[in-house]
Amino acid sequence: MTPQTNKTPIYWSLFNHHSWNFYIAASEKGLCYVGSQNKLFEELAVWAEKRFPGSPLVEDGEKLKPYEAELIEYFEGKRTNFTVPNDLHGTEFQVAVWNALCEIPFGQTKSYSDIANKINKPAAVRAVGAAIGANPLLITVPCHRVVGKNGSLTGYRGGLEMKTQLLDLEIVPSE
C-alpha cells in the first residue's frame, strides 16, 4: 500500500490553440502556472517542486477548461482581462509586483520604474525586475506589458518572441 499524501494536487494540462502551445496548472484555489511557449513539461515540474514541494502533479484537462476558455478568448481578441481565480505563491513583495502588473490596461505598457513607483518602492527597480521574472502566470498576470524605460523590449520568461506576439495581439483590434 502506498502512503497517503496530504499535499494538495496541482492539476495540469497542455494548452494548445492555433500556434499557442504551453502548459498550464491550477490548484484547488485557482490558476497557479502558465508556461512558456513550446517548452517541455520539465519547466512546469521544476516550478511546481519549488512552489508546491511534494504536491502531486495530476493531468486533468477538465479542471483546466475554465482557464483554457479565457485564454482562448484572449487569443481570439474577445477578452482583454482575466476573471478566473489565481493562486499566486511568492513573497509579499513578489505578490505586490504581480498585482500591480494586473492593473496595466490591455494594450498598454509600463516600465519597471512605473511598477516600482506603483508599489511605493521607487528605488527597487531591480527587485521589481526580479519579481517580474519570477511571475508564474505568463499572459494572465501580464508581465509582457512591462518594457524598458525607453520602450525597448526587455527580458521575458517566455522569450522575446512570445512577448512580441502578445504585445502585437493586444495592439491589433479584433475583427
Side-chain angles (χ1 to χ4, degrees):
M1 197 161 98
T2 58
Q4 287 287 10
T5 176
N6 60 0
K7 297 286 186 174
T8 181
I10 302 301
Y11 304 101
W12 65 271
S13 179
L14 177 60
F15 177 85
N16 197 316
H17 181 72
H18 298 305
S19 64
W20 294 97
N21 184 37
F22 49 82
Y23 288 95
I24 62 173
S27 68
E28 291 292 344
K29 295 178 183 172
L31 190 66
C32 60
Y33 181 83
V34 174
S36 305
Q37 175 80 321
N38 298 319
K39 292 290 183 181
L40 300 175
F41 180 79
E42 183 181 9
E43 182 192 44
L44 166 60
V46 168
W47 173 86
E49 188 53 39
K50 281 182 189 165
R51 291 298 182 186
F52 295 89
S55 289
L57 287 171
V58 178
E59 185 174 9
D60 191 337
E62 275 305 304
K63 279 201 184 289
L64 289 153
K65 281 222 186 304
Y67 308 105
E68 289 181 354
E70 287 203 5
L71 283 163
I72 289 168
E73 289 171 358
Y74 170 81
F75 288 125
E76 292 181 349
K78 299 173 184 165
R79 173 172 293 280
T80 59
N81 66 332
F82 295 91
T83 60
V84 290
N86 290 333
D87 184 11
L88 289 168
H89 287 258
T91 65
E92 187 177 327
F93 181 82
Q94 287 173 325
V95 171
V97 169
W98 300 336
N99 286 333
L101 296 177
C102 290
E103 294 177 25
I104 304 172
F106 180 89
Q108 294 183 25
T109 58
K110 298 284 183 195
S111 70
Y112 293 91
S113 50
D114 290 337
I115 301 301
N117 289 327
K118 175 80 175 160
I119 63 167
N120 296 317
K121 304 268 187 201
V125 176
R126 285 183 187 269
V128 164
I132 290 171
N135 172 21
L137 290 174
L138 296 182
I139 305 168
T140 60
V141 174
C143 54
H144 60 277
R145 296 179 188 154
V146 180
V147 297
K149 205 170 201 166
N150 63 358
S152 64
L153 290 190
T154 51
Y156 184 67
R157 177 169 57 89
L160 290 183
E161 182 180 343
M162 182 178 180
K163 183 172 187 163
T164 301
Q165 289 173 323
L166 292 169
L167 290 171
D168 288 349
L169 181 79
E170 294 188 9
I171 290 169
V172 177
S174 59
E175 298 281 320

